[in-house]
Amino acid sequence: MTNKMSGRNLEKAIKASGMKKSEVARAKGIAPETLSRIISGKFGINASDAEEFARILKCSPSQILFERKPIEIFGTAMRTTNNVSGNIKVKDASEKRVLLYNSYNFSDDVVCIRRQNPVQKSHIDGALYFFSNRPIQNTYVDERCLSKKCVVKLKTNEIHICILYQTNDTKYRIHDSYNPDILYDNVEVQWASRITWECLDPIGEGFEEID
């Protein structure tokens, strides 16, 4: 942790709280000039300071002390009219790069998919599914995917959130992740990555979208 990083984090937390810097300084019992020096990185923040600022700003101390790594949105999962997973629309190079971040410490290989249902609104609209991009980059099926919810790319280039079962050495059966229907049987798969976390309430978990 550097003084400048924690100072930037503190400034973001103050802005998110809606409080004025003078109000924060008064609540903390320091001069506004001292707060300015903390924000600029001239003065450091220790754990006790972070806890006190967090109490004032109604955030977590980790949001002030630690760097928040951005997570790239890999694509959007669209459900179809027959209520199956449907294709995942992957963001291409012409689209704006969208990132999310919060106070969690994700590993560098983690990306996510956002779920949307343009046909019928659902309680899972906006949900985020986190998974590793290593199987994508190295084109392999992660063995931890078998019988688990995962993100799969078929040889036909379709991408699904589904449950994956192996039928023989080279082929797989795919079930929809929300009902027992079989989507595909005896299909070849390019890659598969296990979903490590489903976040049904991204806003409540503190995720913010940035460009």
Side-chain angles (χ1 to χ4, degrees):
M1 180 190 70
T2 65
N3 289 349
K4 284 188 177 180
M5 184 187 74
S6 56
R8 287 196 301 268
N9 290 347
L10 176 59
E11 188 169 33
K12 288 177 183 177
I14 292 172
K15 185 177 180 180
S17 74
M19 294 180 69
K20 295 180 180 178
K21 290 178 182 178
S22 58
E23 294 173 331
V24 175
R26 189 180 309 114
K28 179 71 167 66
I30 58 177
E33 294 79 10
T34 301
L35 180 61
S36 294
R37 291 188 178 96
I38 293 172
I39 290 172
S40 68
K42 292 178 181 177
F43 289 175
I45 298 176
N46 59 32
S48 177
D49 289 330
E51 288 178 2
E52 194 166 353
F53 277 123
R55 178 183 56 79
I56 294 167
L57 300 171
K58 294 181 172 54
C59 66
S60 69
S62 63
Q63 287 179 261
I64 296 170
L65 283 174
F66 303 113
E67 182 179 11
R68 301 195 293 173
K69 295 179 181 178
I71 303 161
E72 186 163 4
I73 296 179
F74 174 78
T76 302
M78 312 291 286
R79 291 184 72 79
T80 58
T81 53
N82 60 353
N83 202 36
V84 298
S85 294
N87 276 337
I88 290 171
K89 182 180 182 296
V90 179
K91 295 185 72 64
D92 60 39
S94 66
E95 295 180 278
K96 184 185 289 186
R97 186 166 177 260
V98 180
L99 304 171
L100 298 165
Y101 65 17
N102 75 351
S103 57
Y104 293 106
N105 188 22
F106 290 95
S107 59
D108 293 336
D109 63 305
V110 171
V111 293
C112 72
I113 284 171
R114 176 190 286 146
R115 181 174 282 278
Q116 291 180 349
N117 186 349
V119 178
Q120 183 179 1
K121 291 298 180 182
S122 166
H123 70 283
I124 59 172
D125 282 354
L128 300 173
Y129 301 85
F130 296 86
F131 59 101
S132 171
N133 65 7
R134 288 177 184 168
I136 301 172
Q137 294 175 340
N138 298 299
T139 320
Y140 68 91
V141 174
D142 186 342
E143 291 183 355
R144 296 175 299 172
C145 287
L146 298 179
S147 304
K148 304 291 184 182
K149 188 177 291 187
C150 57
V151 182
V152 173
K153 184 173 185 179
L154 307 181
K155 288 284 183 158
T156 58
N157 291 326
E158 291 182 46
I159 303 176
H160 293 271
I161 294 176
C162 59
I163 311 295
L164 187 69
Y165 300 92
Q166 192 161 10
T167 55
N168 59 46
D169 289 343
T170 61
K171 294 189 177 180
Y172 298 83
R173 183 172 69 250
I174 291 175
H175 285 252
D176 182 68
S177 57
Y178 286 95
N179 63 58
D181 295 342
I182 296 176
L183 295 182
Y184 300 100
D185 202 2
N186 288 320
V187 293
E188 293 183 281
V189 170
Q190 293 188 44
W191 55 257
S193 184
R194 184 172 63 95
I195 291 173
T196 54
W197 183 37
E198 294 182 50
C199 179
L200 299 181
D201 183 17
I203 295 175
E205 292 286 351
F207 283 96
E208 302 172 50
E209 187 170 311
I210 58 175
D211 296 333

